Amino acid sequence: MAQVGANMEYQEYKWAYSIMDSSKVSACLISMLLIVYGSFRSLNMEREARERAEREREASLLGGKPPTTTSSSNSNVQTLNTMQALCFPLGSSVALLIMFFFFDSMQTLVAICTAIIACAALAFLLTPLCQYVAGSAGLGAARAPVCGRYSAPELAAALLAAAIVAVWVLTGHWLLMDAMGMGLCVTFIALIRLPSLKVSTLLLTGLLLYDVFWVFFSSYIFTTNVMVKVATRPAENPMNVVARRLQLGGAMRDAPKLSLPAKLVFPSMHHQGHFSMLGLGDIVMPGLLLCFVLRYDAYKKATLVCQMGQVPGPRSMGSRLTYFHCSLLGYFLGLLTATVSAEVFKAAQPALLYLVPFTLLPLLTMAYVKGDLRRMWSEPFIAPPNGKAGADFDV
């Protein structure tokens, strides 16, 4: 009787046990780590670009030449404007439909392009690690260019990334696919910036509608869930195509189909063969918002230091809560809510339906209470403070 009661209790609260599965815990922790790392990587890139511009200005003055006007942002960084934010969900919908209808005829091309882009993103992710190893080995000039404008650690990162992608093509292993997906997440968060809260709100609101439509309503039009179909459809391995064209056999002809790195998959330690899946967009898009608020937190602190002439003293717990902390907590709660909903309804959920409100609404409320909403909404970085850059301060 006691055993029956225990089984009934387990079935009643099965969803609660499921959300503590190792695959779901891993998805939550790794997605948050990627957002935090990508955001601070972007902040550090901004600081380095500003310092580089300052050194160039000082060198031009010492050389008797008029200082050239240089941008403090990295040339590789792309800042979205209002029109791009509005068009992004529409462009994503068109790309999704193309992948849905014409995937079979273009899957090899998609796999090759994905491998090239993922290789570049993975090299970007691995470069700091290679620089750290080179510095630990006592190579003081590790950052000096050795091949064009590329340093030895950057070349080493590129070779390592190419090796990982090559092994992924040969094996199709999910762990290598996750590594490539992580590289894509960090690269997009670090290199794409949102200039204001208005652009952030337009982008995330549009993507929320995009996610909800293609997950919940696409099956009524296309008789299948378009989002899930595209995300889980494997692509033919380019090695198979080459083997057939050259009439080769062996391992090349038997290369497995490739699951494209448009998502991160995490295996369960408790249920063999069970994976949890999280789309890269569910990490990158909220990550862009968190990167924006992290930059604003640093900018605001630098402005306060310039006005006071010294670093502020100890603050209360409430005042120490930054916009980044608030948004990161909201992301965690949104991801937790999405996970619970997926377990309760036993169906795929548009994660942005939960992530966008949980990150955006607390941020808007907090900005309104602190009196920063008007400035954050329009041009928060229009007049950078003189003196130290905001990226020089801890948030």
Side-chain angles (χ1 to χ4, degrees):
M1 190 68 179
Q3 182 68 28
V4 173
N7 289 335
M8 291 179 62
E9 182 180 0
Y10 174 78
Q11 292 297 328
E12 183 178 358
Y13 296 101
K14 185 178 180 181
W15 64 270
Y17 293 104
S18 298
I19 64 174
M20 294 305 297
D21 186 85
S22 60
S23 61
K24 295 179 174 59
V25 173
S26 300
C28 181
L29 292 178
I30 291 179
S31 62
M32 293 179 66
L33 286 174
L34 290 174
I35 289 175
V36 171
Y37 176 71
S39 300
F40 277 92
R41 182 84 179 268
S42 176
L43 197 64
N44 187 61
M45 289 173 59
E46 188 174 12
R47 176 184 60 81
E48 290 179 346
R50 189 179 289 112
E51 291 177 350
R52 190 184 311 115
E54 183 65 21
R55 288 196 300 268
E56 292 175 357
R57 188 183 69 85
E58 292 177 354
S60 63
L61 291 176
L62 291 175
K65 299 178 181 179
T68 57
T69 304
T70 57
S71 174
S72 62
S73 61
N74 194 294
S75 59
N76 295 325
V77 173
Q78 174 66 41
T79 301
L80 298 182
N81 56 35
T82 302
M83 184 57 64
Q84 290 171 331
L86 290 173
C87 293
F88 192 87
L90 297 177
S92 299
S93 297
V94 172
L96 191 67
L97 284 175
I98 292 174
M99 292 286 288
F100 179 72
F101 286 112
F102 305 107
F103 184 81
D104 291 336
S105 59
M106 57 187 298
Q107 55 181 321
T108 303
L109 177 63
V110 170
I112 294 174
C113 293
T114 300
I116 295 173
I117 296 172
C119 183
L122 197 54
F124 178 82
L125 176 65
L126 295 173
T127 295
L129 176 62
C130 293
Q131 290 174 341
Y132 175 79
V133 172
S136 300
L139 302 177
R143 290 177 179 252
V146 296
C147 181
R149 66 183 184 90
Y150 298 103
S151 63
E154 290 173 334
L155 294 176
L159 292 175
L160 183 57
I164 292 175
V165 173
V167 176
W168 169 72
V169 171
L170 292 174
T171 64
H173 199 279
W174 66 267
L175 188 60
L176 301 178
M177 183 193 72
D178 275 5
M180 295 161 61
M182 292 176 191
L184 289 169
C185 287
V186 171
T187 302
F188 279 112
I189 293 173
L191 298 183
I192 298 178
R193 291 179 183 169
L194 300 176
S196 65
L197 193 54
K198 179 180 75 171
V199 175
S200 304
T201 303
L202 291 174
L203 177 65
L204 291 177
T205 303
L207 288 172
L208 185 153
L209 298 175
Y210 157 86
D211 212 17
V212 168
F213 174 79
W214 289 111
V215 172
F216 283 153
F217 301 106
S218 61
S219 58
Y220 296 104
I221 302 175
F222 303 98
T223 68
T224 186
N225 190 317
V226 174
M227 182 76 77
V228 175
K229 181 75 173 179
V230 171
T232 58
R233 182 184 293 180
E236 186 175 11
N237 199 308
M239 302 294 291
N240 291 337
V241 178
V242 174
R244 285 200 304 268
R245 292 288 178 87
L246 301 179
Q247 297 182 350
L248 301 176
M252 288 185 63
R253 201 175 187 90
D254 298 331
K257 286 193 172 185
L258 298 175
S259 182
L260 300 179
K263 70 275 184 186
L264 299 181
V265 295
F266 304 92
S268 172
M269 297 176 61
H270 305 93
H271 303 91
Q272 188 174 5
H274 174 74
F275 284 79
S276 291
M277 183 177 68
L278 185 63
L280 298 191
D282 302 327
I283 302 173
V284 172
M285 296 308 161
L288 294 178
L289 175 66
L290 269 77
C291 182
F292 163 74
V293 297
L294 179 67
R295 291 170 55 232
Y296 183 78
D297 283 332
Y299 171 86
K300 185 178 179 181
K301 187 172 183 178
T303 304
L304 183 62
V305 170
C306 290
Q307 291 174 350
M308 297 179 60
Q310 59 182 358
V311 179
R315 298 171 291 172
S316 63
M317 182 61 67
S319 61
R320 292 175 64 182
L321 180 66
T322 65
Y323 293 115
F324 183 75
H325 297 148
C326 175
S327 300
L328 187 62
L329 177 60
Y331 180 84
F332 168 74
L333 295 176
L335 198 57
L336 179 63
T337 306
T339 303
V340 172
S341 299
E343 289 298 324
V344 171
F345 296 107
K346 300 299 180 183
Q349 297 291 310
L352 291 180
L353 175 62
Y354 308 95
L355 294 174
V356 171
F358 272 91
T359 54
L360 201 54
L361 294 181
L363 174 61
L364 292 170
T365 304
M366 186 176 178
Y368 176 78
V369 171
K370 287 191 171 185
D372 293 331
L373 183 58
R374 183 184 298 273
R375 184 172 189 177
M376 293 178 69
W377 185 260
S378 54
E379 295 289 348
F381 309 109
I382 193 66
N386 295 323
K388 289 188 176 182
D392 293 337
F393 298 95
D394 295 328
V395 178

